[in-house]
């Protein structure tokens, strides 16, 4: 497979993911649970949180289905993690997850405005010169780093595993790397295109596991975070030091984002 073919396959997979009726473009709301039971638009039941964690009270004729099991009446989701759980109902799904220590609901509908009006993500043309060799220096142990969020006033602690050092146009660069799972590094960064041709808040890059302290950063696969597509995202922001002080004219550009209904 040629470089261009491999890149096009990545693009096709990204677009399929973005257009999924259960993906983040299908999210129609972001609701924070509190101690008082509340009903939210388009979601069955009254929702609250307390010592038991997230709880739903479903009224007569209301139902959810979780992992193939129908739910009626009162159901305790408990203390969910950031990956959460997805329950289905007639007309859509709802994600129940933890964000910054608080349970949230994010309903999804296949005809939600962000997904319905999505027209595709523009990209820079693939260019092999943006496959850049880097040196990875692992920390002796992971370092918890506080990072901001697109949600005003919220922050997260993410474990950093090391740093990647490289050059772009003769200029030295260094980025903090996080554990991306699946034996990958995860980079969050901005560069001199941010807010101009690429999404202002940040982009992300998955990097294959370094071998012998060496890694390849393929910026042709620099991808947008969910917050580039929807107001219902809670994405982390990169550390302030994770700025590349040149134009990284590679990867995904700013997508069109219609206003929500």
């Amino acid at each position: 497979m040629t470089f261009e073919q491999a890149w096009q396959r990545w693009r096709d997979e990204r677009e399929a993911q973005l257009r999924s009726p259960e993906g983040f473009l299908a999210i129609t709301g972001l609701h924070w649970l509190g101690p008082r039971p509340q009903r939210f638009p388009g979601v069955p039941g009254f929702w609250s949180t307390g010592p038991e964690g997230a709880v739903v009270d479903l009224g007569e004729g209301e139902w959810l289905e979780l992992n193939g099991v129908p739910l009626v009446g009162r159901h305790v989701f408990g203390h969910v993690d950031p990956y959460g759980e997805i329950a289905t109902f007639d007309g859509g799904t709802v994600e129940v997850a933890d964000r910054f220590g608080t349970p949230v609901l994010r309903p999804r509908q296949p005809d939600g405005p962000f997904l319905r009006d999505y027209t595709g993500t523009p990209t820079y043309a693939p260019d092999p010169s943006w496959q850049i060799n880097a040196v990875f220096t692992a920390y002796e142990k992971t370092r918890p780093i506080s990072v901001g969020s697109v949600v005003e006033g919220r922050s997260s602690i993410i474990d950093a595993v090391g740093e990647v050092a490289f050059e772009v146009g003769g200029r030295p660069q260094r980025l903090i790397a996080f554990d991306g799972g699946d034996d990958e590094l995860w980079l969050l960064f901005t560069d001199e295109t941010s807010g101009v041709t690429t999404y202002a808040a940040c982009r992300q890059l998955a990097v294959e596991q370094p071998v012998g302290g060496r890694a390849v950063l393929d910026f042709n696969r620099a991808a947008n975070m969910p917050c580039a597509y929807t107001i219902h995202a809670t994405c982390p922001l990169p550390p302030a030091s994770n700025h590349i002080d040149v134009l990284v004219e590679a990867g995904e550009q700013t997508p069109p984002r219609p206003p929500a209904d």
Side-chain angles (χ1 to χ4, degrees), residues 7-41:
W7 179 85
Q8 188 59 57
R9 184 173 69 176
W10 172 76
R11 284 298 308 142
D12 292 343
E13 290 172 353
R14 275 282 295 167
E15 284 296 326
Q17 180 185 52
L18 289 166
R19 295 177 187 276
S20 167
E22 297 180 353
F24 52 76
L25 275 171
I27 296 172
T28 57
L30 172 63
H31 308 298
W32 302 82
L33 303 190
R36 181 174 62 85
Q38 297 180 77
R39 185 180 288 277
F40 299 104

Side-chain angles (χ1 to χ4, degrees), residues 127-236:
D127 182 349
S129 70
W130 280 107
Q131 294 179 313
I132 295 176
N133 294 319
V135 175
F136 173 65
T137 302
Y139 297 146
E140 290 187 7
K141 59 180 181 179
T142 58
R143 299 180 184 177
I145 293 180
S146 178
V147 298
S149 166
V150 295
V151 180
E152 186 175 356
R154 304 279 185 163
S155 61
S156 300
I157 301 295
I158 307 179
D159 286 335
V161 296
E163 299 178 6
V164 291
F166 56 100
E167 287 190 0
V168 179
R171 297 181 63 86
Q173 312 290 335
R174 181 176 289 270
L175 302 178
I176 294 171
F178 302 102
D179 182 359
D182 297 326
D183 294 324
E184 290 183 334
L185 302 180
W186 183 41
L187 304 180
L188 296 173
F189 71 94
T190 56
D191 65 89
E192 292 300 298
T193 69
S194 300
V196 183
T197 56
T198 63
Y199 184 56
C202 69
R203 287 189 289 169
Q204 61 181 329
L205 182 65
V207 180
E208 291 186 3
Q209 181 71 23
V211 177
R214 302 285 176 174
V216 176
L217 313 184
D218 188 353
F219 286 102
N220 294 287
R221 302 191 183 199
N224 291 314
M225 297 284 282
C227 51
Y229 297 92
T230 174
I231 60 173
H232 305 308
T234 60
C235 300

